[in-house]
């Protein structure tokens, strides 16, 4: 038995953890933020895969039986390889899930105009994962993508509320909306972005719904645990949340507590 592992390049996955925790409060969670090597969004496929695999192995070594990659970039560039090639060498009983599939399964139900915008990192956009996956579930929906390379660095360095930071954000949102005036849903395809969701909602037309993934991922996880009692029974239930970071713990604790809503005390680790 072990905690459910939640991994992100940095703070973004905390937005997902928070929503998962609300729906599954009785479970234990172990969060790992690779803050020292964030952002992942502009890194190559090979590097994101290598870093993500190191993180997954670390969480497995610390007792996790189930890991959520709460990072779109890692889900887009590393998940399939890990599921199809690495898990069989590590353990046939452990599982790794991502955040793109749960989101793309329901995107078609959210739009009336069948025109959806995705804001994401360069890595996620260039992987084309959203376009490919949405096409499987909802082929009538057109996906318009906008890469936002500055957003994760802005959020990681806490500069997203400055005037200059907001100008960067607005420029990318305007670029996305200029692709099609019919866009009525914008999906925040990076787990860092819910931190600026209110600002984004305030600068788009009223008809545009801005959607973050946390609740969607949490609902799918609840469903997954019901459908997989063999995995569920290995997830420990003590209501504990623990945090690991590859950066300084002081910085992580100060920033992370803003997202989690209470004081936390993280542990420093090195990867690999
Ligand atoms: N939260 C990660 C994601 O969802 C950020 C990736 C990055 O580090 O650039 O894509």
């Amino acid at each position: 038995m072990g905690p459910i592992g939640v991994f992100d390049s940095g703070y973004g996955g905390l937005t997902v953890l928070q929503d998962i925790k609300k729906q599954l409060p009785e479970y234990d969670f172990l969060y790992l933020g690779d803050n020292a090597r964030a952002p992942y969004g502009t890194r190559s496929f090979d590097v994101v895969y290598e870093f993500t695999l190191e993180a997954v192995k670390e969480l497995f070594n610390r007792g996790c039986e189930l890991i959520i990659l709460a990072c779109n970039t890692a889900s887009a560039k590393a998940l399939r390889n890990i599921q199809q090639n690495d898990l069989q060498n590590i353990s046939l009983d452990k599982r790794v899930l991502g955040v793109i599939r749960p989101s793309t399964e329901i995107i078609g139900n959210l739009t009336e105009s069948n025109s959806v915008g995705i804001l994401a990192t360069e890595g996620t956009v260039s992987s084309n994962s959203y376009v490919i996956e949405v096409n499987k579930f909802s082929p009538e929906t057109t996906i318009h993508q906008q890469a936002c390379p500055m957003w994760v660095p802005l959020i990681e360095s806490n500069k997203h509320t400055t005037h200059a930071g907001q100008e960067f954000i607005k420029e990318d949102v305007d670029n996305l909306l200029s692709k099609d005036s019919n866009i009525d849903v914008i999906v925040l395809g990076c787990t860092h972005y819910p931190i600026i969701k209110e600002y984004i909602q305030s600068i788009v037309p009223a008809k545009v719904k801005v959607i973050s993934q946390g609740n969607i991922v949490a609902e799918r996880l609840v469903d997954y645990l019901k459908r997989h009692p063999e995995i569920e029974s290995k997830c420990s239930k003590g209501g504990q949340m623990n945090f690991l970071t590859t950066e300084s713990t002081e910085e992580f604790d100060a920033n992370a507590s803003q997202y989690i809503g209470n004081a936390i005390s993280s542990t420093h680790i090195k990867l690999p």
Side-chain angles (χ1 to χ4, degrees):
M1 296 255 284
I4 297 174
V6 179
F7 168 69
D8 182 44
S9 60
Y11 299 112
L14 294 169
T15 63
V16 176
L17 174 60
Q18 213 183 12
D19 286 323
I20 293 177
K21 174 81 183 157
K22 273 186 210 143
Q23 299 215 26
L24 296 166
E26 68 277 28
Y27 289 84
D28 294 325
F29 296 96
L30 179 58
Y31 184 88
L32 168 52
D34 190 9
N35 302 75
R37 303 191 292 191
Y40 279 15
T42 45
R43 293 187 186 272
S44 69
F45 183 97
D46 287 346
V47 170
V48 173
Y49 166 61
E50 183 193 325
F51 287 0
T52 305
L53 184 58
E54 286 168 8
V56 162
K57 286 182 175 167
E58 179 72 30
L59 288 168
F60 281 156
N61 285 340
R62 288 173 182 265
C64 299
E65 297 285 334
L66 171 65
I67 296 171
I68 312 298
L69 299 184
C71 175
N72 287 267
T73 312
S75 299
K77 293 188 163 187
L79 180 63
R80 180 171 302 190
N81 249 346
I82 291 174
Q83 284 176 332
Q84 292 182 354
N85 302 324
D86 297 299
L87 274 183
Q88 59 198 7
N89 299 324
I90 300 170
S91 163
L92 288 174
D93 299 330
K94 295 181 189 278
R95 293 289 178 273
V96 183
L97 305 174
V99 289
I100 293 183
R101 181 71 182 254
S103 312
T104 53
E105 274 175 6
I106 63 146
I107 278 177
N109 305 338
L110 305 173
T111 173
E112 281 169 24
S113 65
N114 284 330
S115 180
V116 171
I118 307 283
L119 296 164
T121 66
E122 264 175 1
T124 301
V125 168
S126 63
S127 76
N128 230 16
S129 298
Y130 274 90
V131 176
I132 296 165
E133 290 292 318
V134 169
N135 194 40
K136 286 184 197 157
F137 302 109
S138 170
E140 67 287 358
T141 302
T142 305
I143 298 292
H144 303 278
Q145 304 192 87
Q146 176 67 38
C148 312
M150 288 304 295
W151 292 17
V152 171
L154 281 172
I155 292 166
E156 287 281 312
S157 60
N158 226 347
K159 298 263 179 7
H160 51 283
T161 52
T162 62
H163 178 69
Q166 292 191 334
E167 285 296 304
F168 270 116
I169 295 164
K170 185 166 178 345
E171 194 179 323
D172 287 330
V173 172
D174 288 347
N175 280 341
L176 175 67
L177 291 174
S178 71
K179 294 177 201 280
D180 182 3
S181 59
N182 290 320
I183 291 175
D184 64 350
V185 169
I186 291 180
V187 175
L188 304 181
C190 170
T191 54
H192 280 69
Y193 301 174
I195 290 155
I196 49 174
K197 182 178 173 187
E198 264 177 45
Y199 175 64
I200 298 171
Q201 188 70 69
S202 76
I203 56 171
V204 298
K207 69 162 187 182
V208 180
K209 279 179 286 186
V210 179
I211 309 285
S212 48
Q213 298 168 302
N215 273 327
I216 300 168
V217 173
E219 274 164 25
R220 298 304 292 149
L221 180 58
V222 170
D223 181 55
Y224 179 89
L225 292 173
K226 276 191 197 134
R227 286 185 293 110
H228 294 276
E230 74 289 0
I231 305 288
E232 195 281 336
S233 61
K234 291 194 221 147
C235 299
S236 58
K237 296 176 195 73
Q240 298 269 321
M241 283 208 284
N242 287 298
F243 300 87
L244 306 170
T245 176
T246 55
E247 248 299 343
S248 101
T249 53
E250 290 78 13
E251 201 177 318
F252 185 87
D253 295 351
N255 287 327
S257 53
Q258 294 177 42
Y259 306 132
I260 284 292
N262 49 293
I264 64 151
S265 173
S266 61
T267 302
H268 175 79
I269 60 156
K270 275 192 169 157
L271 289 176

